[in-house]
């Protein structure tokens, strides 16, 4: 058998086998596409269910958001009040010190009860 005869036989064989292989590939492709379509339908149902569940969370999330904003406002107001209280104390520290010293001095200037009793015994 010559090479030309082998090539001619292979060409005839390919002529018979290629259409059959094409049909097999098409059938396989149809099964794959059918599986993809079924998966996409299930995915669509799953996504719709997930969307419904997420929509149910909108109300509670809005409440949490409002609560968070309120907490932020309270934090800001408290911070402002503490800062102003610290500023008042630091600005008036000298006045407070002077007032405390004057109270201390007047307390030491007034006689104690023992001194008053001794003075009464002497007189």
């Amino acid at each position: 058998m010559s090479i030309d005869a082998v090539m001619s036989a292979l060409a005839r064989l390919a002529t018979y086998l290629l259409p059959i292989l094409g049909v097999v590939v098409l059938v396989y492709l149809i099964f794959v596409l059918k599986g993809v379509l079924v998966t996409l339908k299930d995915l669509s149902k799953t996504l719709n269910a997930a969307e419904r569940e997420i929509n149910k969370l909108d109300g509670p999330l809005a409440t949490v958001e409002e609560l968070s904003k309120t907490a932020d406002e309270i934090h800001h107001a408290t911070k402002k009040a503490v800062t102003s209280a610290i500023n008042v104390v630091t600005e008036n520290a000298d006045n407070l010190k002077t007032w405390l010293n004057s109270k201390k001095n007047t307390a030491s200037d007034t006689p104690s009860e023992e001194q008053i009793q001794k003075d009464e015994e002497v007189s």
Side-chain angles (χ1 to χ4, degrees):
M1 216 188 223
S2 69
I3 293 185
D4 288 338
V6 170
M7 289 298 203
S8 175
L10 283 175
R12 251 182 287 139
L13 180 66
T15 306
Y16 297 130
L17 286 179
L18 283 178
I20 294 170
L21 289 175
V23 169
V24 170
V25 168
L26 283 175
V27 169
Y28 179 73
L29 184 62
I30 289 171
F31 284 129
V32 168
L33 288 176
K34 182 182 176 188
V36 168
L37 286 174
V38 169
T39 303
L40 287 176
K41 286 180 183 178
D42 290 342
L43 179 65
S44 176
K45 291 177 185 176
T46 304
L47 289 176
N48 287 337
E51 183 179 4
R52 283 192 303 272
E53 294 299 319
I54 289 172
N55 287 337
K56 287 180 185 177
L57 292 175
D58 283 342
L61 287 177
T63 303
V64 169
E65 181 182 4
E66 289 176 16
L67 184 63
S68 175
K69 287 179 183 178
T70 303
D72 288 342
E73 291 171 1
I74 290 171
H75 175 263
H76 180 69
T78 305
K79 184 177 177 182
K80 186 176 177 181
V82 168
T83 304
S84 63
I86 289 172
N87 288 338
V88 167
V89 168
T90 55
E91 289 172 1
N92 295 320
D94 289 333
N95 295 339
L96 180 63
K97 186 177 177 182
T98 305
W99 180 73
L100 288 175
N101 284 335
S102 68
K103 288 292 185 182
K104 184 179 177 183
N105 289 340
T106 55
S108 64
D109 290 344
T110 55
S112 64
E113 290 183 27
E114 294 174 0
Q115 291 176 348
I116 294 172
Q117 288 176 356
K118 286 181 185 178
D119 288 341
E120 289 176 359
E121 290 175 2
V122 173
S123 30

